[in-house]
Every structure is written in C-alpha cells, then in structure tokens.
Amino acid sequence: MKEVLPQFNSTFSIDCVVFGFDEGELKILLIERNEEPFKDWWALPGNIVEENESLDQSASRILHELTGLSNIYMEQYYTFGDVNRHPQGRVVSIAYYALLRLGGDKALKPISSYAKKANWINVKDLPKLAFDHQKIFDKGLEKIKRRIKHQPIAFELLPEKFTLTQLQNVYEVILNKKLDKRNFRKKMLSFGVLKDLEEKQQGVSFRAATLYKFDKRRYAKLFGKEISF
Amino acid sequence: MKEVLPQFNSTFSIDCVVFGFDEGELKILLIERNEEPFKDWWALPGNIVEENESLDQSASRILHELTGLSNIYMEQYYTFGDVNRHPQGRVVSIAYYALLRLGGDKALKPISSYAKKANWINVKDLPKLAFDHQKIFDKGLEKIKRRIKHQPIAFELLPEKFTLTQLQNVYEVILNKKLDKRNFRKKMLSFGVLKDLEEKQQGVSFRAATLYKFDKRRYAKLFGKEISF
DNA sequence: GCAAAAGTGTTCATGATACACCCATGA
DNA sequence: TCATGGGTGTATCATGAACACTTTTGC
C-alpha cells in the first residue's frame, strides 16, 4: 500500500519556542548546534518527527529530552515550508511554542546531546539564529501576545503560588508595555479565577504580598474557553 | 548533501477549506474523490506539495487548478499530523482556508481532474467527509469566526460593490447569530473604511440599497493590521 | 526613619446594547 | 396599495482609562 504515495526527498521537523519567565524577564531556550549545517550557531530546539509519533507527541518528546520535564503547556502555531529554508533538502517545520515555570528547583536536565549546550536567553537580547529561526521566533512571540489577552496562559509562566505584581509583570513583559496597577488588579480579581491563598510571600525585605493561585476548575466552569484578560 | 537527512516514507499535503458566500449562505467547496482511498467520498480539495514550491505557492496552485482563479485570499491555519490520518502512509497535511466571492460570472472552471466533480455545499449541510477532513473543517470555521472580528476578511466574500445588509449577512452567517441592524451600521461606518459609492442596487423589487466598497488604502492607513469588527 | 513594594476608589470617557418606526420602490 | 427590505436616533449600561496616597516590613 505505502508505495502508492508520491514521494521525494523530504521530511518534517518540529521547532519549539520555549518561553520561560524569570525575575521579570522573558527568556527563550536556545541551543548551540553541534553539527552542520549552522554548526556553532544558536538555534531553536527542534528535531525530526519520527515515524510512529504524532506532531504533538513529537513536540512533547523534544521538550522532554531537552528539559527532563513532562506535561509542559505547548501549542502548535504555524508551519514553515519555504523551499530553501534548510540547506540539506526539503524540510517543512511545524512550530510550537511552550510555556514553563523557571526558577527555583527546575534546572535544565537535558537528555539528548545534539546540542553542545542549552541556554535561557532574554528575548530582548537574541543572537543571530540558524535557518529561518528568527522568523519562527517572531511569529511565536506575536502569537503569545495575542493569546495572553484571551486565554489564561500567563499562569503557565509562574510558579503555582504567585503575587499579583508577578502576574502583572508577565503581562507587561509579553505585551511590552506598562500597565496600571490598580486597573490590572481590579480586572484580574473581577474574573473570579484567582484564589486568595491567605498566605504571604516569604523572605522579602519589604511588605510581603498576598499569594494567589489560578483556579482552573472555576475558570473552566465560568468560561468554556473564552475570556478577555 | 541531500542524503544527510533522516528519512522515512512520508510526505506532506495541503488541504483547503474554500469558503464562499452566496445568497445569504456560507458554503464550502467539496470534491467527490475519484480514487482510493475514500473513493466516492466527499473531501476537501487538496494535494501533495511539490518539490519546488513553498506551502503558500502550493495552496495557490491547488486553488487555481480547482477554480481557475488566482489571487484568492488564503491563510494557513493549522497542520494535521496524526500518525494514522492517511491509510496509505504518513501524510502530514497543512491546512489553509480561502475566501472568495461567489455568484455572478465566476463559475468554477476546474483544471485538474483528480475529482469527479466539485460542488459548493452549505456548511450547515455537510456530508460525511473523507480522512480527518471534518476536523480540518471544524478548525477552519472556528478560525474565521475569530478572524472576522478583528480583520477585514468579510469583504473577501462579497462582490466589490455590496450593501450594508449583505455585509451584515456575512457576519451573521459566520458568527451564527443575529445582529442588530442599527448598531451594526453605526459601528461599521464609524471605522471609516467603507466608501459610499453614491450608487444604488439595480434590479430589486423594493427600495434599492446604497452600494459600498471596502477602502483598502484607508484601512491600511488607519489601522496597521488591527481593528475590532 | 527610610527604602521598597503592597494595597486601595473615584471620576470620566467611550463603546456596547436595546429598541421601533417611517421611507422608497416595484409589482 | 401592499409587500419588501432600506434607513435612521436615543437612552441606558458596562467597561476601560486616568490618576496618588497610605500601609507594611526589614534593615
């Protein structure tokens, strides 16, 4: 049966824009390539899709190999297929963005070794990227800018317990503009999806802020999928 | 160089959800398949991407072969890659939606012959579709529902000269809800991107409506890309 | 006591919604 | 003259935007 399909030398890959938020900065995970082409260049983590895995599975696998983490929030957002985007042949790349909580215990534990090293790099300070990865990144950033206005994705970038100021910070960095503190809090709390943990920040040298938690159940109940953050 | 790439029996294709609006109804173009698998089933128009064309080019080509038209408004929106979505092997499909003006002179002039016939079918009355095409359609419809709220895509479904009632109809059918006539007109006109042609409808058996035209230049000037229709 | 961030309300402008009647035309 | 859709305005409500000071805490 299989030989019925038309065929030429082509393949497809996944590339991931992995966003992390740390100390008020939005970063992405870049790897320094070990192999030609673009040896020694910085690139988005990515890999070839294997025969027996779906695209989503492949993206999860790549992230797992890279970070040792599972259950990362990811979404497919665009597919890049210009004829000459890969110097060694026709490679169509399906792009995903991922969001994860940085800081604290979760250091990177890379499993695979196709990269010399992986690094978190501030999105405002990106080096020149291999292939068409700059384009892929740009579109990914644009995507989460839109997304964060209507879906509760900001919480994926924060620890489970967070302060309202940290949350506002995520919005400010992603949207790249200052927001009004009072209006932000009023609006956020008005959705009724933040649970006041009646618990304070620890170890800060100033007034400790209240910790909140995103209440997923309540969110799902109130709004199927739609809201305007 | 080319043999460096990992490879297995796989390929990629484009599938298109081609929307057309006619007499108050939203329709899509379906073809009846001529070949196995799913011979005699209805399916979305689509084809294998060729070696020397980008994804966008491929989508345009497919639409051109199918309709004889060029310069159709299209956008890539999702890529479907489940392992068993195609019974003959691994086929990853990149989905596009297209919008075009129906009615009047523009009958279909199919060029290719992989289909027995192509038909416009009301989206409320779709038959069972081949492969995972129902899923592809669902996601496409969802996409234009969102899109129409922020981008001027409704005009792509109308003739160059249209009445406000026709425009409202497009919104109502895509969003699947009634809108208030006065509020709709007020809002639409307030954007300042509709040009009053000082010309009336012809050949109607009731009061003729004013014809308008979408003013692309003015739109581009006023709003880079963003607006809330 | 001071530095640093937490926390808190009101006013105003704008946009969204609800709602009903007269007008022009062709048959 | 009647059937059909074209065309119009106002009042109310909800939401978003602007804006500054007091409180708490650790050092």
Side-chain angles (χ1 to χ4, degrees):
Chain A
M1 267 297 242
K2 302 227 172 193
E3 57 283 9
V4 179
L5 284 171
Q7 185 72 44
F8 58 89
N9 184 29
S10 69
T11 192
F12 36 91
S13 66
I14 304 284
D15 282 310
C16 299
V17 183
V18 186
F19 290 98
F21 182 78
D22 195 19
E23 321 243 320
E25 295 186 342
L26 185 66
K27 301 180 174 179
I28 63 168
L29 199 49
L30 291 181
I31 57 116
E32 198 175 336
R33 287 179 59 85
N34 235 344
E35 303 172 357
E36 292 295 347
F38 291 99
K39 185 160 163 32
D40 301 328
W41 284 56
W42 291 97
L44 297 174
N47 217 326
I48 300 298
V49 178
E50 291 181 2
E51 188 155 9
N52 59 347
E53 63 185 4
S54 71
L55 303 179
D56 287 356
Q57 284 164 357
S58 181
S60 297
R61 175 179 56 81
I62 288 167
L63 260 286
H64 179 73
E65 288 172 357
L66 191 66
T67 64
L69 301 174
S70 302
N71 292 327
I72 296 177
Y73 181 92
M74 316 189 64
E75 200 192 4
Q76 185 204 303
Y77 68 91
Y78 202 74
T79 296
F80 297 82
D82 281 355
V83 176
N84 293 313
R85 60 174 296 282
H86 196 296
Q88 290 178 339
R90 187 72 191 272
V91 182
V92 169
S93 183
I94 297 112
Y96 281 73
Y97 69 82
L99 304 175
L100 58 85
R101 318 165 196 279
L102 282 193
D105 46 325
K106 287 175 179 164
L108 283 181
K109 306 186 192 81
I111 295 176
S112 82
S113 59
Y114 73 106
K116 283 196 285 190
K117 51 181 175 180
N119 260 312
W120 289 103
I121 299 185
N122 193 313
V123 297
K124 300 207 161 178
D125 198 26
L126 293 184
K128 209 160 192 181
L129 300 180
F131 306 103
D132 54 355
H133 286 187
Q134 181 67 43
K135 205 164 115 189
I136 297 179
F137 165 76
D138 290 343
K139 200 142 185 153
L141 182 57
E142 201 185 288
K143 185 76 180 186
I144 65 165
K145 276 189 185 182
R146 282 170 181 280
R147 235 347 113 113
I148 202 174
K149 292 184 181 171
H150 303 286
Q151 306 266 337
I153 64 172
F155 310 107
E156 304 292 337
L157 291 167
L158 289 171
E160 198 184 5
K161 301 174 178 187
F162 52 85
T163 69
L164 287 177
T165 299
Q166 287 169 339
L167 183 59
Q168 182 175 342
N169 252 317
V170 171
Y171 277 85
E172 289 182 339
V173 172
I174 291 182
L175 297 176
N176 199 22
K177 67 175 175 189
K178 281 261 161 237
L179 300 174
D180 180 88
K181 184 161 65 160
R182 278 170 294 187
N183 292 337
F184 181 82
R185 286 164 179 243
K186 209 185 318 168
K187 192 171 172 188
M188 270 300 156
L189 293 174
S190 76
F191 293 132
V193 297
L194 294 185
K195 192 170 180 179
D196 183 337
L197 293 172
E198 297 176 351
E199 198 183 333
K200 298 280 175 185
Q201 250 180 333
Q202 299 289 328
V204 286
S205 71
F206 44 80
R207 179 174 178 181
T210 301
L211 291 170
Y212 290 84
K213 186 184 150 188
F214 174 57
D215 187 340
K216 273 187 195 165
R217 287 168 195 276
R218 205 159 156 63
Y219 172 77
K221 208 166 205 170
L222 289 175
F223 323 88
K225 269 286 182 188
E226 210 52 38
I227 199 173
S228 265
F229 289 97
Chain B
M1 266 295 241
K2 301 229 173 194
E3 58 283 11
V4 178
L5 284 171
Q7 186 71 43
F8 59 88
N9 185 29
S10 69
T11 190
F12 35 92
S13 65
I14 303 283
D15 283 309
C16 299
V17 182
V18 187
F19 289 98
F21 182 78
D22 194 20
E23 320 243 321
E25 295 185 343
L26 185 66
K27 300 178 175 180
I28 64 168
L29 200 50
L30 291 181
I31 58 114
E32 198 176 335
R33 286 180 61 84
N34 235 344
E35 303 173 356
E36 292 294 349
F38 291 99
K39 185 159 162 33
D40 300 329
W41 284 56
W42 291 97
L44 297 174
N47 218 327
I48 300 298
V49 177
E50 290 179 3
E51 188 156 7
N52 59 346
E53 62 186 3
S54 71
L55 303 179
D56 287 355
Q57 284 164 356
S58 181
S60 296
R61 174 180 56 82
I62 288 168
L63 260 287
H64 179 72
E65 288 172 357
L66 191 67
T67 63
L69 300 174
S70 302
N71 291 327
I72 296 177
Y73 181 92
M74 315 189 65
E75 198 192 4
Q76 186 205 303
Y77 68 91
Y78 203 74
T79 296
F80 297 83
D82 281 355
V83 176
N84 293 313
R85 60 174 296 282
H86 195 297
Q88 291 177 340
R90 187 71 191 272
V91 182
V92 169
S93 183
I94 297 113
Y96 281 74
Y97 70 81
L99 304 174
L100 58 86
R101 318 165 197 278
L102 283 192
D105 45 325
K106 286 176 179 165
L108 284 180
K109 306 188 191 80
I111 295 175
S112 81
S113 58
Y114 73 106
K116 283 196 285 190
K117 50 181 177 179
N119 261 312
W120 288 102
I121 300 187
N122 193 313
V123 296
K124 300 206 163 181
D125 198 28
L126 293 185
K128 209 160 191 180
L129 299 180
F131 306 103
D132 54 354
H133 286 187
Q134 181 67 42
K135 203 164 116 191
I136 297 178
F137 165 75
D138 290 343
K139 198 141 185 154
L141 181 56
E142 201 186 289
K143 186 77 180 185
I144 65 166
K145 276 189 186 181
R146 280 171 182 282
R147 235 346 114 114
I148 202 175
K149 292 183 180 172
H150 303 286
Q151 305 267 337
I153 64 171
F155 311 107
E156 304 292 337
L157 291 166
L158 291 171
E160 198 183 6
K161 301 174 177 186
F162 53 84
T163 69
L164 287 177
T165 300
Q166 288 170 339
L167 183 60
Q168 185 176 341
N169 253 317
V170 171
Y171 277 84
E172 289 182 337
V173 172
I174 291 183
L175 297 176
N176 198 24
K177 67 175 176 189
K178 281 261 160 238
L179 301 173
D180 180 88
K181 184 161 65 163
R182 277 170 294 187
N183 292 339
F184 180 83
R185 286 164 180 244
K186 208 187 316 169
K187 193 172 170 185
M188 270 300 155
L189 292 173
S190 76
F191 293 132
V193 296
L194 294 186
K195 192 169 180 181
D196 183 336
L197 293 173
E198 297 175 354
E199 196 181 337
K200 299 280 176 183
Q201 247 179 335
Q202 299 289 327
V204 287
S205 71
F206 45 79
R207 179 174 179 180
T210 302
L211 291 170
Y212 290 85
K213 186 183 150 189
F214 174 57
D215 188 339
K216 274 189 195 163
R217 286 169 196 276
R218 207 159 154 62
Y219 172 78
K221 209 167 204 169
L222 288 176
F223 321 88
K225 270 282 179 190
E226 210 52 38
I227 198 173
S228 264
F229 287 98

